[in-house]
Amino acid sequence: MMKFDVRGDIASARRQFRGKEKQINMAAARAINRAMTTVRSVATKEIARHTGITPQRAIRDRLHIRKATPNYLIGEIGAERYTPNLARFAARQTKRGVSATAWRKRKVYPRTFLGNQGRTVFKRVGKRRLPIRPVWGPKMHAAFVEREVRRAMDAVARERFRTEFRREVKLRTST
């Protein structure tokens, strides 16, 4: 879960526009929600870049936003725990095993094979034909909490909030 603090910006606007606290709260909630949408977009791109998960829709669908309201001025973005099968990383069958581009590097995974009509990479557990187990790629949630991804999300969140908040305050207090 990612949160960022904008209480200072809101407090200064409340001091400047006394008597219009309701409009300031509405402006803050809308600005937070718009900023969180942009943050989700940046997080999707950064996670895809770090892990190699494609399509980006698979990441975006697993990033959830809890919207702010005028009474609850906190927006949150969180990531589901998602570990896709290695087949999602441009997997190809070779003689030595499956070749896939996980963690931004193409690598051959020995003693693996594509099954389930190319939708799953499996590895044999022993010398015999069975049992087999699926092979997993990078964890999306682990990439979500990486320092680089967090830094990019935080920078965009602050910048976007300030822009949207100024716009919303101007719109709501001009009458």
Side-chain angles (χ1 to χ4, degrees):
M1 206 53 81
M2 183 203 148
K3 296 179 185 180
F4 66 99
D5 190 6
V6 291
R7 286 179 281 192
D9 297 332
I10 297 169
S12 66
R14 283 185 183 142
R15 281 192 301 273
Q16 187 176 356
F17 298 103
R18 292 218 184 271
K20 294 191 175 191
E21 286 81 14
K22 190 174 182 180
Q23 287 89 345
I24 298 300
N25 285 352
M26 284 289 289
R30 286 188 48 104
I32 289 169
N33 293 337
R34 287 184 181 201
M36 295 314 278
T37 303
T38 305
V39 168
R40 179 175 56 191
S41 176
V42 167
T44 300
K45 288 179 177 91
E46 285 293 313
I47 291 169
R49 191 173 64 82
H50 280 276
T51 61
I53 296 174
T54 56
Q56 288 185 5
R57 179 179 4 103
I59 299 168
R60 188 175 41 256
D61 291 346
R62 288 167 175 86
L63 293 176
H64 299 287
I65 295 175
R66 181 175 177 197
K67 291 188 173 189
T69 65
N71 297 327
Y72 184 75
L73 294 175
I74 297 173
E76 299 172 347
I77 184 167
E80 288 179 11
R81 296 193 182 277
Y82 172 58
T83 308
N85 189 278
L86 210 52
R88 299 291 295 240
F89 299 91
R92 295 190 306 244
Q93 184 70 54
T94 66
K95 287 180 183 179
R96 293 185 303 150
V98 172
S99 171
T101 312
W103 295 281
R104 296 181 292 176
K105 252 189 264 190
R106 184 152 284 278
K107 176 182 167 186
V108 175
Y109 296 84
R111 300 183 63 219
T112 58
F113 62 95
L114 279 167
N116 197 14
Q117 297 176 340
R119 293 186 306 240
T120 313
V121 174
F122 292 104
K123 182 175 181 100
R124 298 201 187 281
V125 175
K127 296 256 185 201
R128 307 212 46 192
R129 214 173 140 70
L130 293 174
I132 58 175
R133 65 176 177 83
V135 181
W136 305 107
K139 296 178 181 174
M140 185 189 85
H141 188 267
F144 180 76
V145 297
E146 272 187 22
R147 185 177 300 148
E148 289 178 40
V149 175
R150 295 289 237 181
R151 209 176 282 147
M153 289 173 17
D154 193 49
V156 167
R158 290 183 191 293
E159 178 186 331
R160 182 73 173 169
F161 172 77
R162 287 189 180 110
T163 303
E164 291 296 333
F165 188 58
R166 270 190 248 112
R167 183 178 295 140
E168 287 289 330
V169 167
K170 185 177 180 182
L171 177 73
R172 294 181 188 287
T173 58
S174 63
T175 56

